[in-house]
Amino acid sequence: MRRIAFLSVLLSVLVFATRAPAHAQQPAASTAQIPPTETNPTWWKNAVIYEIYPRSFQDSNGDGIGDLNGITSRLDYLQKLGVNAVWLTPIYPSPQVDFGYDISNYEAIDPQYGTMADFDHLVAEARKRHIGIVMDLVLNHTSDQHPWFKESASSRTNPKADWYMWRDPKMVNGHREPPNNWISDFGGSAWQWDPARQQYYYHEYYVQQPDLNWNNPQVRKAMYDVARFWIRHGVIGFRLDAITSLFEDPQDRNEPYILGPDGKPRIDAFGDKEVEDIYTDDLPEVHDVLRQLRQVTDEASGGKAVLIGETYLRSIADLRKMYGAGNDELQLPMDMQVGFINKLDVPLFRKRINDAETKLGGDEPLFVFDNHDNPRWDRYQLNAEGAPDFGYRPYHDDIGRVIATVLFASRDTAMMYYGDAIGMVTTPPTRKEDVRDPIGIRGWPKEKGRDGERTPMQWNAGPDAGFSPPGIKTWLPIPPSYRTVNVAAEEREPDSMLRWYQQIMALKKDDPALHEGEEMMLNTADDHVLSWLRKAPDGEAVVVACNFTAQPQTVSLNLAAQGVQGTHLKTLIKTPGAPDPAALDLQLGPYGVYVGQVSQDRR
Ligand code: GLC
C-alpha cells in the first residue's frame, strides 16, 4: 500500500451559491452495449469496476460485519448502477490483523464472510447480471499464521526454509541489528527478529505479514496454483495487491533518506526517518513474474481473466512498463497519477489525462479516485474549500459531479469504490480508543488510519442504515450522515449524487463517443475549466467541460482546432441550473459540469 500523502491546499471560497436542483437529460439510446464478461475477452475495456470492502457492504447475519450473502443480496443495486465487475478485497481465512490482507489460507473463505458455497452462489448470481467477480490476490506476503510461514520459521533446514526473506543480523559492537534501514509502510523497521531461527525476516507491512521470497520457484508455483483455483471457481480476474513490492535489492543496500529543508532526514507519522524506496519497490524482476502469471491466467481462463495491479508508480513511463513490452503483463495497472492529484488543478489534470491517452501506447488506462486505503473523494472538497475536516458542505455534490465526470467521461476503464456513488464522506474516528486500523493506533494522531473510508454502506435511513439488522453494533460506527445520504433517499431524489452517477455511467456505456471514442484536450490555455472532446469511430463527437473553481466561468469551445465541424451542442447531462449553451459557448456555475453532443444545428 502506498497511502497518498493528503495534500491540504487551502483555496478560499468566496461565494456560497444558492443551489438549484441538478438536472440531467436522458442519455442517448443504447448503441454500444458492453457484452457480458463471459463472451467478450476484452470485457474490461472502458468498463466499470466496483470495489467492495466486504466487511462494510452488507451484513446478512447480524454480526455487525458484512458478508458474502449480503453482497449477493445487493447485486441488483450494482446492476442498475451499471457495474461490469466487482473487486472484493480479501475474504480468505485470516487473523484479520490487516482486515484480510494477512491471509492464512488462500483457498478457502473466512467463516465470518461465509462459506465456499456462498461464494459460488455469489459468482453465479453476479454472472446472471453480467457482473464478474475479481478476487484480491495478495502475493507479496502471507499471514505469520499461514502454515507456510510456520514451517519456514521452524528451522533453517525445513523444506520451506527459503520461502520467506530471512537474513542474518548485522553485528555492531557485539549488538544485533537489522540488516539495513528498510522501514515498514506501517511503521518501524521492516525487519523482525525470530528467536527460533535466530534470524530476521522482512515485512513490508505489519510484523504479522512476512514477505514471501519470490526468487524461490516453489513460491511462484504455489501462488500460480492459487490463481488457477479461483479461476476454476469462476472469477473473472485478480487485483494484485502491493504488486510492485514483490522483490527487494539482492544486495540489501540501505535506502537513501529523504531530506527535509534542514538537511536532516524527514520524519514520518510513525516517527521513522523517511526513505526513498528505490531498493524495495518496482524492481525489474517483477516483470518476469507478471509475464508468468499472465500466461497462467490466460491459459486457465481462455484469455478472459483480467490482471489489475495496485501500482502506485513514479511516472507514466513506469506505468507503461506494467503492461509489458509485448502486452503480456497486466491488462489494467492502476493509474494513480490522475485520481490522486488531490486538488482541483486544471493544468495538472489535463497533463496527466493526456499522458494516459498518449503515452501508454494505446493501452487502456485504469483511473481510480477512491479505495479502502485513502480518504474518499470528499478530500477534493476539503482541499478546495480549506475546510478544517471532512463533512458535507455546500459544494460537496458539485465537486462530486466533477470527479465522477472526470472518471467516467474520460477514455478509461473506471474503478470506483462502494459509497462513492451516494457521496459518502470520509468519517475518521475522533478518539484513539475507537480506532480499528492498527496503523491508526500506531500513528495517532498524525495518522488516524483507514477507518474513515471503510465505514458501513449507507443503504437507507432505518436503524443501522440498512447495513446490519436493527440494533446490532456494527464493526465501525455508521456515520451520522446516513439519515439523508443513503441509497433509498437518493433513488427518490431526481437530482441526487446517485442519479448523477447512474446517468454518467450509462453514458459511458451507451454513448459511442463516451464509451470508446478517442480523447483530445480542448482550450488548453484555460486554467479554470477542464474541457475535452471524445470522438467515436463513426464521427460522433461529444464535449465535456468541468469548472474546477467556485466561481462561474464562461468557455468558448474551440472545436475547429481538433478538426471537428459543428456549431451547436445537444445536452446529454449538465449540472444544476446551467443554461443550455448558445452555439459553442458554455456558462458553467461553481464546479459546474456540461456534457453535450456536437451537432451542426440547434436540434
Ligand atoms: C495494499 C492494500 C492495503 C493493505 C496492504 C498490505 O496496499 O490495499 O489495504 O494494507 O496492501 O497488504
Side-chain angles (χ1 to χ4, degrees), residues 317-393:
D318 286 349
L319 183 62
R320 181 167 182 182
K321 288 187 201 145
M322 303 309 287
Y323 293 87
N327 260 55
D328 49 0
E329 298 185 26
L330 303 180
Q331 291 102 322
L332 293 176
M334 293 180 197
D335 180 328
M336 307 297 205
Q337 307 189 11
V338 172
F340 293 96
I341 289 174
N342 289 348
K343 55 181 174 168
L344 290 173
D345 177 327
V346 171
L348 210 47
F349 266 90
R350 183 180 290 130
K351 180 178 183 320
R352 301 262 175 96
I353 294 172
N354 201 45
D355 279 355
E357 179 69 6
T358 58
K359 296 188 179 163
L360 293 179
D363 281 326
E364 179 79 359
L366 174 62
F367 288 172
V368 43
F369 280 79
D370 283 286
N371 59 33
H372 62 287
D373 292 326
N374 290 283
R376 288 179 175 276
W377 61 247
D378 59 330
R379 67 191 184 274
Y380 278 90
Q381 169 198 250
L382 196 151
N383 279 335
E385 300 190 10
D389 51 25
F390 298 100
Y392 293 92
R393 299 202 170 70

Side-chain angles (χ1 to χ4, degrees), residues 19 41 55 58 84 215 246 274 344 393 447 468 530 554 558 587-588 595:
R19 299 194 332 144
R55 294 184 81 74
Q58 178 66 62
N84 300 100
N215 291 305
L246 291 196
E274 282 186 53
L344 290 173
R393 299 202 170 70
E447 168 61 71
S468 274
L530 183 70
T554 307
N558 182 359
Q587 307 220 344
L588 299 169
V595 183

Side-chain angles (χ1 to χ4, degrees), residues 296-311:
V296 166
T297 56
D298 273 355
E299 208 176 283
S301 71
K304 282 180 296 188
V306 67
L307 293 179
I308 302 169
E310 187 195 22
T311 42

Side-chain angles (χ1 to χ4, degrees), residues 16 26 29 43 94 179 282 294 308 321 367 392 396 415 436 446 568 592:
F16 282 76
Q26 284 303 311
W43 62 268
S94 158
D282 199 21
R294 176 71 179 276
I308 302 169
K321 288 187 201 145
F367 288 172
Y392 293 92
H396 175 268
M415 176 162 270
R436 299 292 308 271
K446 281 192 186 153
H568 287 83

Side-chain angles (χ1 to χ4, degrees), residues 392 425-428 455 458 461 465 477-486:
Y392 293 92
V425 292
T426 316
T427 314
T455 56
Q458 297 165 199
I478 311 273
S481 56
Y482 81 95
R483 288 194 182 78
T484 50
V485 179
N486 62 64

